[in-house]
Amino acid sequence: MKRTDLDLASRALGGSVRCVSDEFFAPCEALIQPWTPLHDKLEFGPHGKIYDGWETRRRRTPGYDWAIVALGVPGVLHEIIADTAFFTGNYPPEVSVEATWLDGSPSNEELMAADWVTVVPQSAARGNMANTYRVHNHWAFSHVRLNIFPDGGVARLRVRGTAVPDPRVLGSRIDLASLHNGGEIAECSDMFYSDARQVLYPGVARSMSEGWETARRRTAGNDYLVVTLAGPARLSYVDIDSGYFLGNAPGRVRLSGRSDEEAPWHEILPETRISSDSHNRFRLTSSETVSAVRVDVFPDGGFSRLHLMGELAEEALAEAIAHWLRLLPSTAYAKVLAGVGIAQAPVRTLTTEQLLGLAW
Protein backbone atom coordinates (compact mmCIF):
# COMPACT_ATOMS: atom_id res chain seq x y z
CA MET A 1 0.00 0.00 0.00
CA LYS A 2 1.30 3.45 -0.89
CA ARG A 3 2.19 5.81 1.91
CA THR A 4 -0.29 8.33 0.53
CA ASP A 5 -3.24 5.97 1.01
CA LEU A 6 -5.84 7.03 3.58
CA ASP A 7 -8.76 5.26 5.18
CA LEU A 8 -11.26 7.39 3.31
CA ALA A 9 -14.19 5.99 5.29
CA SER A 10 -12.73 6.68 8.73
CA ARG A 11 -14.79 8.60 11.23
CA ALA A 12 -11.61 10.60 11.93
CA LEU A 13 -11.90 12.09 8.42
CA GLY A 14 -15.65 12.62 8.66
CA GLY A 15 -16.92 9.31 7.29
CA SER A 16 -20.41 8.23 8.32
CA VAL A 17 -22.72 5.25 7.94
CA ARG A 18 -25.74 6.65 6.11
CA CYS A 19 -28.16 3.71 6.06
CA VAL A 20 -28.15 0.00 6.83
CA SER A 21 -30.40 -3.01 6.25
CA ASP A 22 -30.25 -4.28 9.84
CA GLU A 23 -28.25 -3.73 13.03
CA PHE A 24 -30.10 -5.85 15.55
CA PHE A 25 -27.09 -7.09 17.51
CA ALA A 26 -24.48 -4.35 17.08
CA PRO A 27 -24.73 -0.80 15.65
CA CYS A 28 -23.34 0.05 12.24
CA GLU A 29 -21.45 3.16 13.44
CA ALA A 30 -18.69 0.94 14.83
CA LEU A 31 -17.72 -0.02 11.26
CA ILE A 32 -15.80 3.21 10.68
CA GLN A 33 -14.25 3.92 14.08
CA PRO A 34 -10.51 4.53 13.70
CA TRP A 35 -9.38 2.44 16.66
CA THR A 36 -8.69 -1.30 16.73
CA PRO A 37 -11.74 -3.41 17.65
CA LEU A 38 -12.09 -4.36 21.32
CA HIS A 39 -13.68 -7.47 22.83
CA ASP A 40 -14.93 -8.55 26.23
CA LYS A 41 -15.91 -12.22 26.30
CA LEU A 42 -18.20 -11.71 29.29
CA GLU A 43 -20.14 -8.66 28.03
CA PHE A 44 -23.76 -9.40 27.11
CA GLY A 45 -26.77 -7.16 26.55
CA PRO A 46 -30.54 -7.60 26.06
CA HIS A 47 -29.98 -8.78 22.46
CA GLY A 48 -27.13 -11.15 23.24
CA LYS A 49 -23.34 -10.94 23.00
CA ILE A 50 -22.02 -7.39 22.59
CA TYR A 51 -19.46 -6.85 19.81
CA ASP A 52 -17.39 -3.85 18.83
CA GLY A 53 -18.62 -3.89 15.24
CA TRP A 54 -21.71 -4.20 13.08
CA GLU A 55 -23.81 -7.36 13.40
CA THR A 56 -27.15 -8.24 11.84
CA ARG A 57 -29.67 -10.84 13.00
CA ARG A 58 -29.82 -14.33 11.50
CA ARG A 59 -31.58 -13.99 8.14
CA ARG A 60 -34.57 -16.28 7.62
CA THR A 61 -35.65 -14.82 4.27
CA PRO A 62 -33.94 -14.52 0.87
CA GLY A 63 -31.50 -11.68 0.31
CA TYR A 64 -28.50 -10.23 2.14
CA ASP A 65 -27.55 -7.40 4.47
CA TRP A 66 -25.75 -4.19 3.59
CA ALA A 67 -24.46 -0.86 4.92
CA ILE A 68 -23.90 2.36 2.96
CA VAL A 69 -20.98 4.54 4.06
CA ALA A 70 -20.35 8.15 3.01
CA LEU A 71 -16.61 8.61 2.66
CA GLY A 72 -15.10 11.35 4.80
CA VAL A 73 -13.00 12.32 1.78
CA PRO A 74 -13.96 11.23 -1.75
CA GLY A 75 -11.21 9.46 -3.60
CA VAL A 76 -9.84 6.69 -5.80
CA LEU A 77 -10.11 3.34 -4.02
CA HIS A 78 -7.12 1.00 -3.86
CA GLU A 79 -7.95 -1.55 -1.20
CA ILE A 80 -10.94 -2.62 0.91
CA ILE A 81 -10.55 -4.34 4.28
CA ALA A 82 -13.51 -6.12 5.87
CA ASP A 83 -12.14 -6.86 9.33
CA THR A 84 -14.14 -9.59 11.10
CA ALA A 85 -12.09 -9.37 14.32
CA PHE A 86 -13.68 -11.49 17.10
CA PHE A 87 -16.52 -12.64 14.83
CA THR A 88 -15.87 -16.40 14.73
CA GLY A 89 -19.22 -18.20 14.43
CA ASN A 90 -21.23 -15.24 13.19
CA TYR A 91 -19.17 -13.70 10.36
CA PRO A 92 -20.46 -13.50 6.76
CA PRO A 93 -18.91 -16.17 4.52
CA GLU A 94 -18.94 -13.81 1.54
CA VAL A 95 -18.82 -10.04 0.96
CA SER A 96 -18.90 -7.61 -1.94
CA VAL A 97 -18.38 -3.85 -2.20
CA GLU A 98 -19.99 -1.32 -4.51
CA ALA A 99 -19.22 2.38 -4.91
CA THR A 100 -20.83 5.49 -6.35
CA TRP A 101 -20.36 9.26 -6.62
CA LEU A 102 -23.17 11.54 -5.46
CA ASP A 103 -22.78 15.30 -5.14
CA GLY A 104 -24.16 17.40 -2.32
CA SER A 105 -26.16 15.89 0.54
CA PRO A 106 -28.11 12.95 -0.94
CA SER A 107 -31.09 11.50 0.89
CA ASN A 108 -31.29 7.81 1.76
CA GLU A 109 -33.73 7.37 -1.12
CA GLU A 110 -31.22 8.91 -3.54
CA LEU A 111 -28.48 6.67 -2.17
CA MET A 112 -30.59 3.57 -2.68
CA ALA A 113 -31.37 4.60 -6.26
CA ALA A 114 -27.78 5.56 -7.16
CA ASP A 115 -25.79 4.01 -9.99
CA TRP A 116 -23.56 1.62 -8.03
CA VAL A 117 -20.37 0.16 -9.50
CA THR A 118 -18.96 -3.14 -8.23
CA VAL A 119 -15.41 -2.60 -6.99
CA VAL A 120 -15.06 -5.90 -5.09
CA PRO A 121 -17.06 -8.79 -6.59
CA GLN A 122 -18.73 -11.30 -4.29
CA SER A 123 -15.76 -12.92 -2.58
CA ALA A 124 -15.02 -15.32 0.25
CA ALA A 125 -14.41 -13.96 3.74
CA ARG A 126 -13.05 -15.58 6.88
CA GLY A 127 -13.84 -15.00 10.53
CA ASN A 128 -11.62 -13.13 13.00
CA MET A 129 -9.46 -11.79 10.15
CA ALA A 130 -8.72 -8.62 8.21
CA ASN A 131 -10.09 -9.75 4.84
CA THR A 132 -8.30 -7.65 2.21
CA TYR A 133 -9.45 -7.03 -1.35
CA ARG A 134 -7.68 -5.02 -4.05
CA VAL A 135 -9.68 -2.54 -6.11
CA HIS A 136 -8.86 -2.14 -9.81
CA ASN A 137 -10.73 1.02 -10.71
CA HIS A 138 -9.43 4.54 -11.46
CA TRP A 139 -12.62 6.50 -10.77
CA ALA A 140 -13.25 8.65 -7.70
CA PHE A 141 -16.17 7.74 -5.44
CA SER A 142 -18.00 9.45 -2.60
CA HIS A 143 -19.91 6.48 -1.10
CA VAL A 144 -19.41 2.74 -0.74
CA ARG A 145 -21.85 -0.07 0.03
CA LEU A 146 -20.66 -3.13 1.92
CA ASN A 147 -22.76 -6.20 1.17
CA ILE A 148 -22.56 -9.29 3.40
CA PHE A 149 -23.94 -12.67 2.34
CA PRO A 150 -26.30 -13.54 3.85
CA ASP A 151 -25.85 -11.94 7.28
CA GLY A 152 -23.44 -11.74 10.22
CA GLY A 153 -20.93 -9.33 11.65
CA VAL A 154 -18.03 -7.13 10.50
CA ALA A 155 -15.97 -5.23 13.05
CA ARG A 156 -14.41 -2.59 10.81
CA LEU A 157 -14.55 -1.43 7.20
CA ARG A 158 -11.38 0.22 5.91
CA VAL A 159 -11.47 1.94 2.52
CA ARG A 160 -7.89 2.63 1.52
CA GLY A 161 -7.27 5.06 -1.30
CA THR A 162 -6.05 8.41 -2.55
CA ALA A 163 -8.08 11.46 -1.60
CA VAL A 164 -9.59 13.51 -4.43
CA PRO A 165 -10.79 16.77 -2.82
CA ASP A 166 -13.53 18.77 -4.50
CA PRO A 167 -11.61 21.40 -6.55
CA ARG A 168 -14.58 23.77 -6.51
CA VAL A 169 -13.70 24.84 -2.99
CA LEU A 170 -9.97 25.25 -3.46
CA GLY A 171 -10.26 28.88 -4.55
CA SER A 172 -11.54 29.92 -1.15
CA ARG A 173 -8.94 31.59 1.03
CA ILE A 174 -9.82 31.16 4.70
CA ASP A 175 -12.50 30.07 7.13
CA LEU A 176 -13.85 33.47 8.14
CA ALA A 177 -15.91 32.00 11.00
CA SER A 178 -13.00 30.20 12.65
CA LEU A 179 -12.01 31.38 16.12
CA HIS A 180 -8.40 31.14 14.92
CA ASN A 181 -9.14 33.74 12.25
CA GLY A 182 -11.19 36.13 14.38
CA GLY A 183 -14.70 34.72 14.07
CA GLU A 184 -17.01 34.76 17.09
CA ILE A 185 -20.55 33.90 18.21
CA ALA A 186 -22.48 37.15 18.65
CA GLU A 187 -25.90 35.71 19.48
CA CYS A 188 -27.56 32.34 19.98
CA SER A 189 -31.18 31.39 20.62
CA ASP A 190 -30.47 28.32 22.77
CA MET A 191 -27.44 26.55 24.25
CA PHE A 192 -29.21 24.03 26.46
CA TYR A 193 -26.82 21.11 25.86
CA SER A 194 -23.60 22.74 24.68
CA ASP A 195 -21.88 26.02 23.87
CA ALA A 196 -22.47 27.30 20.33
CA ARG A 197 -18.89 28.59 20.26
CA GLN A 198 -17.69 25.03 19.76
CA VAL A 199 -18.85 25.08 16.13
CA LEU A 200 -16.06 27.60 15.42
CA TYR A 201 -13.34 25.38 16.90
CA PRO A 202 -10.67 23.94 14.59
CA GLY A 203 -10.52 20.32 13.54
CA VAL A 204 -13.22 17.66 13.64
CA ALA A 205 -15.49 17.02 16.61
CA ARG A 206 -14.87 13.73 18.42
CA SER A 207 -18.45 13.36 19.65
CA MET A 208 -21.79 15.18 19.66
CA SER A 209 -20.77 16.90 22.90
CA GLU A 210 -18.17 18.94 21.00
CA GLY A 211 -20.73 20.74 18.85
CA TRP A 212 -23.79 22.96 19.42
CA GLU A 213 -27.08 21.34 20.44
CA THR A 214 -30.34 23.02 21.44
CA ALA A 215 -33.19 21.71 23.55
CA ARG A 216 -36.10 20.13 21.69
CA ARG A 217 -38.39 22.95 20.58
CA ARG A 218 -42.01 22.56 21.68
CA THR A 219 -43.17 26.03 20.61
CA ALA A 220 -43.44 27.90 17.32
CA GLY A 221 -40.35 29.34 15.66
CA ASN A 222 -36.84 28.03 15.19
CA ASP A 223 -33.36 28.23 16.70
CA TYR A 224 -30.45 30.23 15.31
CA LEU A 225 -26.98 31.58 15.92
CA VAL A 226 -25.21 34.71 14.67
CA VAL A 227 -21.51 34.62 13.76
CA THR A 228 -19.35 37.70 13.35
CA LEU A 229 -16.71 37.07 10.71
CA ALA A 230 -13.02 37.88 10.79
CA GLY A 231 -13.98 41.04 8.91
CA PRO A 232 -16.12 42.25 6.01
CA ALA A 233 -15.82 39.60 3.34
CA ARG A 234 -17.21 38.00 0.23
CA LEU A 235 -18.24 34.42 0.99
CA SER A 236 -17.89 31.59 -1.51
CA TYR A 237 -19.25 28.52 0.29
CA VAL A 238 -20.44 27.16 3.62
CA ASP A 239 -19.73 23.77 5.18
CA ILE A 240 -22.17 22.76 7.92
CA ASP A 241 -20.62 19.68 9.48
CA SER A 242 -23.29 17.62 11.24
CA GLY A 243 -20.86 14.85 12.20
CA TYR A 244 -22.09 12.70 15.13
CA PHE A 245 -25.50 14.41 15.03
CA LEU A 246 -27.40 11.29 14.00
CA GLY A 247 -30.85 12.02 15.42
CA ASN A 248 -30.31 15.63 16.53
CA ALA A 249 -29.37 17.45 13.32
CA PRO A 250 -31.73 20.14 11.99
CA GLY A 251 -33.95 19.22 9.08
CA ARG A 252 -33.19 22.44 7.20
CA VAL A 253 -31.01 25.54 7.45
CA ARG A 254 -31.07 29.09 6.09
CA LEU A 255 -28.21 31.62 6.00
CA SER A 256 -28.51 35.41 6.03
CA GLY A 257 -25.83 38.08 5.99
CA ARG A 258 -25.45 41.75 6.77
CA SER A 259 -22.73 44.33 6.27
CA ASP A 260 -22.92 45.88 9.75
CA GLU A 261 -25.07 45.90 12.89
CA GLU A 262 -27.39 48.60 11.53
CA ALA A 263 -28.00 46.91 8.17
CA PRO A 264 -30.93 44.54 7.56
CA TRP A 265 -30.37 40.83 7.07
CA HIS A 266 -30.49 39.53 3.50
CA GLU A 267 -30.71 35.89 2.47
CA ILE A 268 -27.52 34.28 1.12
CA LEU A 269 -28.69 30.65 1.27
CA PRO A 270 -32.43 29.87 1.04
CA GLU A 271 -33.98 27.36 3.40
CA THR A 272 -32.28 24.11 2.39
CA ARG A 273 -32.40 20.48 3.51
CA ILE A 274 -29.28 19.09 5.18
CA SER A 275 -28.20 15.56 6.01
CA SER A 276 -27.38 14.25 9.46
CA ASP A 277 -23.86 13.05 10.28
CA SER A 278 -22.44 14.60 7.12
CA HIS A 279 -20.55 17.51 5.56
CA ASN A 280 -23.21 19.76 4.04
CA ARG A 281 -21.51 22.09 1.57
CA PHE A 282 -23.32 24.80 -0.37
CA ARG A 283 -22.04 27.44 -2.78
CA LEU A 284 -22.84 31.03 -1.80
CA THR A 285 -23.26 33.20 -4.89
CA SER A 286 -24.05 36.59 -3.34
CA SER A 287 -21.49 39.24 -4.34
CA GLU A 288 -22.32 41.46 -1.37
CA THR A 289 -19.81 42.01 1.40
CA VAL A 290 -20.95 40.75 4.80
CA SER A 291 -19.46 41.05 8.27
CA ALA A 292 -21.90 38.73 10.09
CA VAL A 293 -23.90 35.63 9.20
CA ARG A 294 -27.08 34.33 10.82
CA VAL A 295 -27.64 30.56 10.66
CA ASP A 296 -31.28 29.58 11.17
CA VAL A 297 -31.93 25.88 11.92
CA PHE A 298 -35.40 24.40 11.47
CA PRO A 299 -36.86 23.74 13.87
CA ASP A 300 -34.06 22.93 16.34
CA GLY A 301 -31.09 20.59 16.80
CA GLY A 302 -27.44 21.27 16.22
CA PHE A 303 -24.24 20.50 14.36
CA SER A 304 -20.53 19.99 15.00
CA ARG A 305 -18.71 22.65 13.01
CA LEU A 306 -19.47 25.68 10.86
CA HIS A 307 -17.03 26.78 8.17
CA LEU A 308 -17.73 29.99 6.23
CA MET A 309 -15.15 30.14 3.47
CA GLY A 310 -14.32 33.26 1.54
CA GLU A 311 -11.99 36.20 1.12
CA LEU A 312 -11.73 39.33 3.21
CA ALA A 313 -12.34 42.62 1.43
CA GLU A 314 -9.00 44.27 0.68
CA GLU A 315 -9.73 47.21 2.96
CA ALA A 316 -10.64 44.88 5.81
CA LEU A 317 -7.56 42.75 5.26
CA ALA A 318 -5.29 45.79 5.23
CA GLU A 319 -6.93 47.09 8.41
CA ALA A 320 -6.59 43.70 10.12
CA ILE A 321 -2.90 43.49 9.22
CA ALA A 322 -2.30 47.02 10.46
CA HIS A 323 -4.04 46.23 13.75
CA TRP A 324 -1.95 43.08 14.14
CA LEU A 325 1.27 44.99 13.44
CA ARG A 326 0.40 47.48 16.10
CA LEU A 327 0.23 44.72 18.66
CA LEU A 328 3.61 43.20 17.79
CA PRO A 329 6.70 43.84 19.94
CA SER A 330 9.11 46.19 18.22
CA THR A 331 11.65 43.48 17.39
CA ALA A 332 9.03 41.23 15.84
CA TYR A 333 7.52 44.19 14.02
CA ALA A 334 10.83 45.04 12.42
CA LYS A 335 11.43 41.41 11.44
CA VAL A 336 8.04 41.14 9.75
CA LEU A 337 8.63 44.27 7.67
CA ALA A 338 12.18 43.23 6.81
CA GLY A 339 10.88 39.87 5.62
CA VAL A 340 9.03 41.57 2.76
CA GLY A 341 11.65 44.22 2.09
CA ILE A 342 10.00 47.16 3.87
CA ALA A 343 12.16 49.56 5.87
CA GLN A 344 11.00 50.00 9.43
CA ALA A 345 8.42 52.75 9.71
CA PRO A 346 5.37 53.54 11.85
CA VAL A 347 2.28 51.53 10.95
CA ARG A 348 0.32 54.69 10.15
CA THR A 349 2.74 55.52 7.31
CA LEU A 350 2.41 52.15 5.54
CA THR A 351 0.32 52.18 2.39
CA THR A 352 -2.55 49.78 1.70
CA GLU A 353 -0.42 48.13 -0.97
CA GLN A 354 2.40 47.54 1.51
CA LEU A 355 0.03 46.11 4.08
CA LEU A 356 -1.56 43.75 1.56
CA GLY A 357 1.92 42.67 0.52
CA LEU A 358 2.23 41.04 3.93
CA ALA A 359 -0.68 38.70 3.25
CA TRP A 360 0.11 35.10 2.32
Side-chain angles (χ1 to χ4, degrees):
M1 188 171 61
K2 298 180 181 179
R3 292 178 60 190
T4 54
D5 280 0
L6 297 170
D7 180 4
L8 302 174
S10 174
R11 167 65 78 179
L13 290 180
S16 68
V17 181
R18 297 302 306 279
C19 48
V20 63
S21 62
D22 182 76
E23 51 183 350
F24 183 84
F25 286 114
C28 58
E29 282 80 20
L31 270 177
I32 56 175
Q33 297 298 349
W35 56 80
T36 302
L38 305 173
H39 189 65
D40 183 346
K41 294 181 179 180
L42 302 178
E43 189 177 17
F44 282 77
H47 287 190
K49 183 71 188 75
I50 294 177
Y51 284 85
D52 182 11
W54 167 51
E55 184 185 10
T56 71
R57 74 190 76 200
R58 299 183 189 227
R59 179 171 284 273
R60 304 307 191 197
T61 57
Y64 56 90
D65 288 313
W66 49 266
I68 294 178
V69 175
L71 301 180
V73 182
V76 176
L77 315 185
H78 300 158
E79 188 177 83
I80 306 290
I81 301 173
D83 187 351
T84 55
F86 305 111
F87 287 92
T88 54
N90 50 355
Y91 66 91
E94 295 181 309
V95 303
S96 73
V97 180
E98 299 168 281
T100 191
W101 173 279
L102 287 175
D103 207 0
S105 301
S107 65
N108 288 352
E109 291 75 18
E110 290 169 330
L111 286 169
M112 295 299 296
D115 184 15
W116 292 93
V117 175
T118 298
V119 294
V120 175
Q122 192 167 338
S123 306
R126 298 176 63 183
N128 199 27
M129 177 177 290
N131 297 278
T132 303
Y133 310 95
R134 293 295 298 173
V135 175
H136 303 284
N137 191 301
H138 65 278
W139 295 344
F141 298 105
S142 60
H143 296 73
V144 297
R145 180 165 64 189
L146 171 65
N147 304 311
I148 59 175
F149 302 88
D151 54 41
V154 177
R156 296 289 187 271
L157 174 67
R158 308 299 188 197
V159 181
R160 306 288 186 184
T162 303
V164 181
D166 186 340
R168 293 173 295 182
V169 304
L170 297 182
S172 301
R173 295 295 182 88
I174 60 171
D175 181 359
L176 293 153
S178 169
L179 290 170
H180 280 192
N181 294 327
E184 186 56 278
I185 298 293
E187 187 180 345
C188 182
S189 63
D190 182 279
M191 292 193 287
F192 184 85
Y193 286 110
S194 50
D195 189 345
R197 204 179 191 200
Q198 293 189 118
V199 302
L200 308 185
Y201 283 10
V204 178
R206 294 172 294 179
S207 71
M208 195 170 63
S209 68
E210 295 186 354
W212 166 54
E213 183 185 356
T214 73
R216 298 193 184 205
R217 178 170 285 271
R218 306 306 190 192
T219 58
N222 66 280
D223 288 311
Y224 68 91
L225 56 81
V226 175
V227 180
T228 54
L229 305 180
R234 287 176 291 275
L235 299 176
S236 54
Y237 83 95
V238 60
D239 179 2
I240 301 173
D241 179 0
S242 58
Y244 292 100
F245 281 77
L246 296 166
N248 287 313
R252 305 173 311 284
V253 300
R254 181 181 66 217
L255 269 62
S256 306
R258 66 183 181 190
S259 56
D260 57 62
E261 292 185 359
E262 304 301 322
W265 293 103
H266 63 275
E267 188 174 83
I268 57 178
L269 179 71
E271 191 171 325
T272 304
R273 184 193 72 196
I274 67 170
S275 297
S276 61
D277 196 25
S278 179
H279 281 278
N280 297 275
R281 297 186 175 104
F282 305 101
R283 179 182 293 178
L284 303 176
T285 58
S286 174
S287 61
E288 296 187 46
T289 298
V290 298
S291 62
V293 170
R294 173 177 167 135
V295 182
D296 284 279
V297 299
F298 298 93
D300 54 24
F303 47 85
S304 299
R305 295 289 186 269
L306 173 68
H307 304 291
L308 290 164
M309 309 303 294
E311 186 175 357
L312 280 176
E314 287 192 350
E315 300 81 2
L317 179 57
E319 182 180 342
I321 292 173
H323 178 68
W324 173 69
L325 288 174
R326 293 188 188 99
L327 299 178
L328 290 180
S330 57
T331 302
Y333 174 70
K335 187 175 181 180
V336 168
L337 294 185
V340 293
I342 300 177
Q344 187 166 357
V347 175
R348 65 179 181 277
T349 65
L350 299 178
T351 65
T352 297
E353 184 178 355
Q354 288 175 314
L355 291 168
L356 293 176
L358 294 171
W360 294 353

